[in-house]
Amino acid sequence: MKFGNMTKGKLMLGVALTVLALLIPLICGLFGSGVYLLNVINYIFVYIIASTGLNVMTGYSGQINLGGAAYFSVGAYGVVILCNAGLPTIVSVILAMLIVALFGFLTAIPAAKLKFHFLALATMAVGEIVNNLLVVSPGGITNDTHGMFVKSMKLFGITFGNDTSLYYLLLIVTIACLIFTWAFIRSRTGRACVATRDSVDAAGSCGIDVRKYKIIATVVSCVIIGFGGFLFAYLNRYISPDTFAAGKSTMFMSMMMLGGSGTLLGPAIGAVLITLIMEVLRGIPGSGMYMQMSYGVVLLVVMMFLPQGLSGLLANMKVKRLKKKLGEEETVC
């Protein structure tokens, strides 16, 4: 039986996953470490959003970004500072995302002319500049090295003051982010971005304004990453320049590359795996060093053995099974 283009099996799987997602807080509550488990899941949601945003620029538009933590931090600090100034949360979020979009636009204009390692170095420089501005901010607006404590989020009259309430908010936002990314990539603008990734010369010869679509992809990417930063601030309850150091950018890149850049669910897979690896390493003495090392190991393994990430590996395995099945059917005939 089919419902539109969806088989009954896929529909039942979707319903089962939806029910499971809604029951996760209750399932976690059955364990003694339920609060910890739910907190880890919440961080996974935030990292899925951030790595998905990076994927729009790098995976779908072909522009390397090693400064993702810069936009992540602008989104976080922007919302917190505006909320502390007395603005409602929803207004603060909208204004902060406009600031992130403007910042992304201003950095995209010169970056759109750069390629390869020049672009990588430029984005890395942006990350370092922003982090230094957080350490020594104009008028001490970011509280410099002391960081800022974040109050519970109040949105539409609802206070998200615990991991359970944040879980449902992050679940909805993460699904909405993936749907938006899916719709964006399948839009005319998204297809133009993918065309510029595949071949700048071919896209230009077809009448595509390569620079324009690179800038659009960068702005969209920055806003999604910045939105993830805003959610991270309220989940972490404390933000400081150290929170958004260069290691964060490397982490987002590792998540995207491990799961598979240029795929919708690749960053989500990578976010889950990298977060679990970090939690395992956290209990080891000197875990900070091992965490940073793990990012490098992941990137090396991906570049050497999984250039298309785990999503590409699974896709190739599926293709091989189909070819084998077709070959067996031809042999029988």
Side-chain angles (χ1 to χ4, degrees):
M1 183 182 295
K2 291 188 176 183
F3 298 86
N5 293 326
M6 185 179 293
T7 63
K8 184 179 179 180
K10 289 182 178 180
L11 182 64
M12 292 179 64
L13 177 62
V15 172
L17 291 175
T18 301
V19 173
L20 177 62
L22 294 174
L23 294 178
I24 283 293
L26 296 176
I27 296 173
C28 289
L30 299 176
F31 300 92
S33 57
V35 175
Y36 165 74
L37 292 173
L38 193 58
N39 188 254
V40 171
I41 293 172
N42 286 343
Y43 276 104
I44 288 175
F45 283 142
V46 170
Y47 294 147
I48 288 174
I49 294 170
S51 55
T52 297
L54 180 64
N55 192 37
V56 171
M57 180 177 175
T58 301
Y60 287 112
S61 183
Q63 303 177 82
I64 300 175
N65 186 351
L66 299 181
Y71 312 102
F72 198 67
S73 64
V74 172
Y77 271 96
V79 175
V80 173
I81 290 171
L82 290 171
C83 281
N84 289 344
L87 293 177
T89 303
I90 187 64
V91 176
S92 299
V93 172
I94 293 172
L95 290 176
M97 293 308 107
L98 289 175
I99 293 171
V100 175
L102 177 61
F103 177 49
F105 177 74
L106 293 176
T107 55
I109 292 175
K113 298 180 180 180
L114 303 176
K115 295 180 180 180
F116 311 125
H117 56 284
F118 298 106
L119 178 59
L121 290 173
T123 55
M124 188 185 299
V126 169
E128 290 299 321
I129 291 170
V130 170
N131 195 257
N132 283 313
L133 285 174
L134 296 179
V135 174
V136 186
S137 59
I141 191 173
T142 65
N143 209 20
D144 299 340
T145 56
H146 300 291
M148 304 176 71
F149 287 96
V150 184
K151 300 176 183 177
S152 297
M153 185 196 311
K154 292 183 179 180
L155 197 61
F156 304 117
I158 303 173
T159 300
F160 297 89
N162 55 56
D163 287 324
T164 301
S165 59
L166 281 171
Y167 168 83
Y168 288 112
L169 174 65
L170 290 169
L171 174 64
I172 294 171
V173 172
T174 302
I175 293 173
C177 174
L178 292 173
I179 292 174
F180 170 80
T181 304
W182 176 84
F184 174 77
I185 296 306
R186 279 158 181 75
S187 67
R188 180 180 179 182
T189 301
R191 292 196 298 271
C193 291
V194 173
T196 60
R197 176 201 65 184
D198 294 339
S199 175
V200 173
D201 295 330
S205 65
C206 292
I208 295 175
D209 188 338
V210 173
R211 187 164 179 265
K212 169 187 171 183
Y213 287 106
K214 281 186 176 182
I215 292 174
I216 291 175
T218 301
V219 171
V220 172
S221 172
C222 293
V223 171
I224 296 175
I225 296 173
F227 197 83
F230 138 65
L231 295 169
F232 174 86
Y234 283 94
L235 176 62
N236 207 53
R237 299 295 178 84
Y238 174 77
I239 53 176
S240 70
D242 290 340
T243 313
F244 305 102
K248 219 65 170 184
S249 299
T250 309
M251 183 182 73
F252 297 151
M253 181 64 71
S254 300
M255 290 174 174
M256 182 194 66
M257 296 295 292
L258 176 60
S261 63
T263 62
L264 182 64
L265 295 180
I269 296 171
V272 172
L273 294 176
I274 293 292
T275 304
L276 293 179
I277 291 172
M278 287 193 300
E279 292 305 313
V280 170
L281 295 176
R282 200 178 296 279
I284 301 176
S287 59
M289 179 188 69
Y290 293 114
M291 287 181 186
Q292 295 297 324
M293 189 184 299
S294 67
Y295 302 149
V297 171
V298 167
L299 289 174
L300 283 174
V301 170
V302 169
M303 287 188 291
M304 293 176 65
F305 305 107
L306 297 169
Q308 296 178 324
L310 292 174
S311 296
L313 177 64
L314 294 174
N316 290 335
M317 291 173 62
K318 184 177 180 180
V319 170
K320 288 181 180 179
R321 286 199 302 269
L322 289 174
K323 287 183 177 179
K324 184 178 179 181
K325 183 177 180 180
L326 290 173
E328 291 175 352
E329 290 178 353
E330 291 177 358
T331 302
V332 172
C333 293

